[in-house]
Amino acid sequence: MKNYKTTLNQRVNMSLRHLLFAAFLVFNFQGFSQSPTATVKQTIDSLVSHSPQGYTDIHSVLRKHRNDTIVMRYVAKTALENNYIDGQLYALNELGRKYRNTNQYKKAIILHEQALEIATETDNLEFRVSSLNNLGVVYRRTSSIRAAMDYNQKALELAEAVENPSISLKRSINISHNCIGNLYQELRQYDKAIVQFEKSLLLEAELNNLLGQAINYQNVGECKEELNNLDEALKDYQTSLELNNTINNDTGRVICYNSIAQIYVKKNQPTKALTYLNIALEKAKKLDDDFLIAPVYINFGWAKLLLKDYANAEKNMLTGLRLSEASNLPYSTTQASRLLSKLYKEQRDFEKALQYNVKAETLEEEILNVNTIRYVNDIIYRYDSQKQSTKIEVLAKENENVTLALRKNRTILLIAGLALALLAGIFYILYRQYQLKNEKKVLTLEQNMLRSQMNPHFLFNSLNSIKLYIINNEQKNAVHYLNKFSKLVRKILEASSLREIPLSEELETAELYMNIENIRFSNEINFQINIEDGIDPHIVKIPSLILQPFLENALWHGLSSKNGEKKIQVDICTSHEPGFIDIIITDNGIGRAASERIKLGKVLKRNSVGIDITKDRLLNFSRDFQNSFNLEIIDLFKGDGGANGTKILLHIPTI
């Protein structure tokens, strides 16, 4: 959008009409007896001195004075004298809007056309669009639908052609959609009207414009009312009323109260309707706008008609008709004529009933005719076609730019490809390092595992036990346990080089270990292995040497300090979860709490790392499976609450 202060050459080239109008303004203001207060003059002079550009900045200063014709005339005069085009355009449009709202449509049209001419000559798009929309509103109020559609559609076309519109232009786009919706509404094409109002409503919500939202909710309600969706229409009117109350807009309140009353009239609830009409009439008279007053009187008459109060019904309808005709409001005139026809028909005055019915039909035909509808649809079709053509041109240009960019970027793409290949190589090296790191970790775990299985305490104690048999000349026992010891050492060494072994091998190793350790316990330990039917230990694979650390813990922390029966039981069973087996190691020792107290009392404490190493190995083992292992240590108790041993539950994946 461009804004320009008119230069001397531009002034010279202005149209004769513009110069005559400037002279007209100067002449009228010189002879005008009233003027703004000193404070307001100071505000206006400051505004003209700073000369802000655009509707939004000017409106932020003059908003509360926009309905004061004295102030707006002073702004127009001062802006003209100081060559401040934006200020002059703002004042002309606001004066036109005020005249429009007081039904002085000819004056309003002159002012808006003057603003449009100046905005066009100075290439001021923002005020050009605003002036077009204002002209559309004036012509719509006088039911000049063709002219109104021309102006509003042109405003929409100009505003939407801007790539990054200002807030003011966005609001103008919303107004254009709303005005076009109103035109469809007058042509009784309510579905098309609702589409336009909803477009405007969405855009107004984005701008957080409560007034715009209130107007569009009101319009949507009117369309739904005409489509006989009375309950939905009432909701929209009530929403509009809430928004108007929020922004303290009396004009909006009058329209909403009147519309809500009309719904209750149509629902045959005239008493309730009169409550709203009394409020609406009081506020409308204060605003002194026949455009608002006339429909209220007409609905008053309608409500009285339903109550069979024919005298007051006739009085109010005739008042509404007179105001509508005086202010050139064809739609209200038509409604009043139809209701009067209905009134006289009920009073059996058929001559007057026919007279007003003919009048209503004639007015409606003038407003709504086939040529007008076709004309409006042609404008919309032409606009949509132009919009599509513009889109095609834009897409073609974008395609050309993309093609050019691709040609220019071939070298960049080649470099990018090489860079990606380099990155891929780097990632591969990093991945290999990660793999080697994992392999090293596995190797370390295996070494630690072997070290824990073949720890010096176990070797020394086992050999001492065998030596004791030899000293006592128990050759048979010495040979027996020496065979078992050598077999255990061989199995441990063999298993340490394997990642996984059959379950049967692991159980055999565990049994050898327990037989050797049982020597020190004078064979007091009852060790059992139970395998559930259906489990083949030769097929099931588990990590090598994982049971010994748990058996060792059960022996030295659970049973070594226990008196009486000592028992360790290993149960192999299928899990309730598919793809797993459960290995349960149960002892009837003193329990973890008692074991910990004994350990704290010892001077030399032995740290067991076997279980931690086993956990790491199980975690590494389960990475190749869909699921991970689970280890659970459960304390067992007797009926009286005393410790009754410990249960180890290993939940190991097999697939």
Side-chain angles (χ1 to χ4, degrees):
M1 183 186 69
K2 297 180 181 179
N3 290 304
Y4 299 97
K5 284 190 175 181
T6 309
T7 62
L8 180 60
N9 289 333
Q10 287 175 313
R11 277 288 175 188
V12 172
N13 292 327
M14 280 186 181
S15 66
L16 178 61
R17 187 169 178 227
H18 185 195
L19 292 174
L20 288 173
F21 186 78
F24 169 78
L25 283 175
V26 173
F27 175 78
N28 277 277
F29 291 136
Q30 284 175 345
F32 198 76
S33 58
Q34 292 178 292
S35 61
T37 62
T39 304
V40 175
K41 279 185 177 181
Q42 186 177 2
T43 300
I44 295 169
D45 292 341
S46 175
L47 174 74
V48 173
S49 174
H50 289 89
S51 301
Q53 304 298 297
Y55 176 89
T56 303
D57 290 340
I58 301 172
H59 189 63
S60 65
V61 178
L62 298 178
R63 182 174 186 173
K64 63 181 179 180
H65 304 297
R66 63 188 301 213
N67 291 319
D68 191 331
T69 55
I70 296 172
V71 173
M72 287 298 105
R73 286 170 182 164
Y74 183 78
V75 172
K77 174 178 176 293
T78 307
L80 178 64
E81 291 173 350
N82 289 272
N83 210 18
Y84 177 32
I85 300 302
D86 283 48
Q88 185 184 358
L89 292 172
Y90 177 87
L92 290 173
N93 276 326
E94 290 302 321
L95 281 168
R97 186 188 58 80
K98 179 63 177 177
Y99 283 129
R100 178 192 77 206
N101 290 339
T102 53
N103 308 311
Q104 300 179 63
Y105 298 120
K106 289 183 179 179
K107 288 184 179 181
I109 289 172
I110 291 173
L111 288 162
H112 291 316
E113 284 183 344
Q114 184 61 33
L116 176 61
E117 186 175 344
I118 296 172
T120 303
E121 289 173 355
T122 57
D123 195 21
N124 191 319
L125 180 62
E126 185 175 309
F127 280 103
R128 185 182 174 191
V129 171
S130 178
S131 301
L132 287 167
N133 273 330
N134 279 310
L135 283 166
V137 174
V138 176
Y139 280 110
R140 187 185 77 246
R141 284 202 177 184
T142 58
S143 296
S144 301
I145 296 177
R146 289 190 178 192
M149 180 59 75
D150 278 333
Y151 284 118
N152 291 134
Q153 199 64 50
K154 183 63 176 176
L156 182 61
E157 184 179 348
L158 288 172
E160 287 191 336
V162 178
E163 187 174 352
N164 295 308
S166 63
I167 293 177
S168 179
L169 275 179
K170 287 181 179 179
R171 287 177 176 167
S172 293
I173 291 172
N174 299 346
I175 293 170
S176 296
H177 281 302
N178 178 267
C179 290
I180 294 169
N182 277 299
L183 293 171
Y184 275 126
Q185 186 178 347
E186 290 197 17
L187 294 172
R188 297 184 179 179
Q189 295 181 294
Y190 301 115
D191 291 332
K192 290 184 178 180
I194 289 174
V195 170
Q196 295 293 327
F197 292 140
E198 287 181 343
K199 284 182 181 179
S200 182
L201 186 60
L202 182 63
L203 296 169
E204 294 290 14
E206 289 178 3
L207 294 174
N208 197 28
N209 183 9
L210 298 184
L211 175 60
Q213 293 177 60
I215 292 171
N216 282 286
Y217 272 115
Q218 170 69 27
N219 293 142
V220 171
E222 290 171 0
C223 292
K224 290 179 180 178
E225 180 183 346
E226 293 296 335
L227 292 170
N228 206 32
N229 297 329
L230 299 183
D231 292 330
E232 291 185 20
L234 183 59
K235 288 180 182 178
D236 288 322
Y237 290 149
Q238 289 169 340
T239 302
S240 180
L241 180 59
E242 289 174 6
L243 291 166
N244 280 305
N245 285 332
T246 301
I247 59 178
N248 196 26
N249 178 23
D250 276 335
T251 300
R253 287 190 185 110
V254 171
I255 295 172
C256 290
Y257 284 132
N258 185 56
S259 297
I260 292 171
Q262 187 165 285
I263 292 291
Y264 286 121
V265 169
K266 289 184 177 181
K267 286 188 168 190
N268 200 23
Q269 300 178 39
T271 305
K272 199 167 186 178
L274 288 171
T275 303
Y276 286 96
L277 289 170
N278 281 316
I279 301 172
L281 185 59
E282 181 185 353
K283 292 184 177 295
K285 285 181 177 179
K286 288 181 181 179
L287 294 170
D288 192 26
D289 186 349
D290 289 345
F291 180 78
L292 301 175
I293 298 172
V296 178
Y297 272 117
I298 294 168
N299 280 331
F300 250 115
W302 194 356
K304 294 293 184 180
L305 176 61
L306 293 177
L307 293 170
K308 306 299 182 182
D309 185 356
Y310 295 124
N312 281 319
E314 182 181 26
K315 179 182 176 182
N316 282 289
M317 288 179 190
L318 288 172
T319 302
L321 178 62
R322 176 178 52 79
L323 292 172
S324 299
E325 289 178 332
S327 300
N328 189 23
L329 303 173
Y331 180 79
S332 296
T333 305
T334 303
Q335 187 185 20
S337 299
R338 284 203 179 280
L339 288 171
L340 282 165
S341 176
K342 185 176 180 181
L343 169 67
Y344 290 126
K345 186 177 180 181
E346 288 192 16
Q347 292 181 307
R348 306 189 68 78
D349 189 344
F350 297 113
E351 185 177 348
K352 284 186 177 180
L354 179 60
Q355 175 188 341
Y356 280 105
N357 186 63
V358 170
K359 184 175 183 177
E361 293 289 344
T362 304
L363 283 169
E364 194 168 81
E365 189 176 345
E366 289 177 1
I367 296 171
L368 182 66
N369 60 71
V370 176
N371 291 333
T372 299
I373 294 175
R374 186 182 298 116
Y375 178 77
V376 169
N377 288 334
D378 285 346
I379 290 176
I380 297 295
Y381 177 77
R382 185 172 67 250
Y383 170 71
D384 289 340
S385 298
Q386 289 174 351
K387 197 171 181 180
Q388 290 298 325
S389 298
T390 303
K391 284 183 179 178
I392 291 171
E393 290 177 4
V394 170
L395 288 172
K397 188 173 181 180
E398 288 179 355
N399 183 58
E400 184 181 346
N401 291 336
V402 169
T403 303
L404 182 62
L406 287 173
R407 289 175 183 172
K408 290 181 178 179
N409 291 337
R410 282 178 181 174
T411 304
I412 296 175
L413 289 173
L414 180 61
I415 294 172
L418 293 173
L420 286 173
L422 180 61
L423 284 173
I426 293 172
F427 285 139
Y428 177 75
I429 292 171
L430 292 174
Y431 176 70
R432 282 298 300 152
Q433 288 180 341
Y434 172 76
Q435 283 186 319
L436 292 172
K437 184 178 179 181
N438 281 342
E439 290 174 2
K440 181 180 178 182
K441 183 178 180 181
V442 171
L443 182 60
T444 303
L445 286 173
E446 300 296 342
Q447 290 174 344
N448 291 337
M449 178 270 298
L450 179 60
R451 193 177 298 114
S452 68
Q453 304 284 345
M454 301 290 290
N455 67 75
H457 294 282
F458 170 69
L459 294 175
F460 179 77
N461 291 334
S462 298
L463 291 173
N464 268 347
S465 297
I466 295 170
K467 183 177 73 173
L468 183 63
Y469 281 123
I470 295 171
I471 292 172
N472 292 334
N473 200 26
E474 298 180 27
Q475 295 180 6
K476 187 176 180 180
N477 287 335
V479 171
H480 175 71
Y481 284 104
L482 183 60
N483 287 335
K484 286 184 177 293
F485 178 74
S486 62
K487 189 175 181 181
L488 174 63
V489 172
R490 186 180 75 251
K491 279 189 168 295
I492 290 174
L493 292 174
E494 287 175 352
S496 64
S497 62
L498 300 173
R499 187 170 179 270
E500 58 184 40
I501 60 174
L503 176 59
S504 58
E505 292 287 335
E506 180 68 11
L507 293 176
E508 186 179 349
T509 303
E511 189 170 11
L512 285 171
Y513 170 75
M514 287 300 300
N515 287 338
I516 293 172
E517 288 284 41
N518 214 354
I519 298 173
R520 300 180 60 192
F521 288 86
S522 302
N523 293 315
E524 294 178 352
I525 299 173
N526 180 12
F527 177 69
Q528 294 180 0
I529 297 176
N530 301 316
I531 302 175
E532 184 181 299
D533 293 340
I535 297 178
D536 188 347
H538 297 88
I539 297 175
V540 177
K541 301 285 187 178
I542 65 170
S544 60
L545 305 174
I546 63 166
L547 297 183
Q548 181 181 331
F550 298 108
L551 295 172
E552 183 180 354
N553 257 22
L555 282 170
W556 298 108
H557 298 291
L559 300 177
S560 62
S561 302
K562 176 181 171 63
N563 296 321
E565 182 187 12
K566 299 175 182 179
K567 182 179 179 181
I568 296 179
Q569 182 174 314
V570 178
D571 294 302
I572 312 297
C573 54
T574 55
S575 173
H576 64 278
E577 186 176 355
F580 285 86
I581 63 166
D582 289 338
I583 301 177
I584 303 170
I585 303 172
T586 309
D587 69 72
N588 64 341
I590 61 175
R592 287 189 293 173
S595 175
E596 189 64 27
R597 287 194 296 271
I598 294 172
K599 182 179 177 181
L600 290 173
K602 292 181 179 180
V603 178
L604 295 176
K605 298 178 178 60
R606 178 183 173 188
N607 294 322
S608 177
V609 296
I611 291 180
D612 292 334
I613 295 171
T614 302
K615 286 181 180 179
D616 288 339
R617 292 183 61 236
L618 283 169
L619 180 62
N620 186 67
F621 173 76
S622 63
R623 284 175 182 164
D624 291 344
F625 295 84
Q626 297 176 4
N627 304 291
S628 60
F629 82 98
N630 185 37
L631 170 63
E632 190 175 356
I633 302 176
I634 303 169
D635 293 312
L636 302 177
F637 298 95
K638 300 176 183 177
D640 59 1
N644 193 31
T646 307
K647 179 191 287 186
I648 306 295
L649 174 59
L650 275 172
H651 196 54
I652 301 178
T654 58
I655 58 172

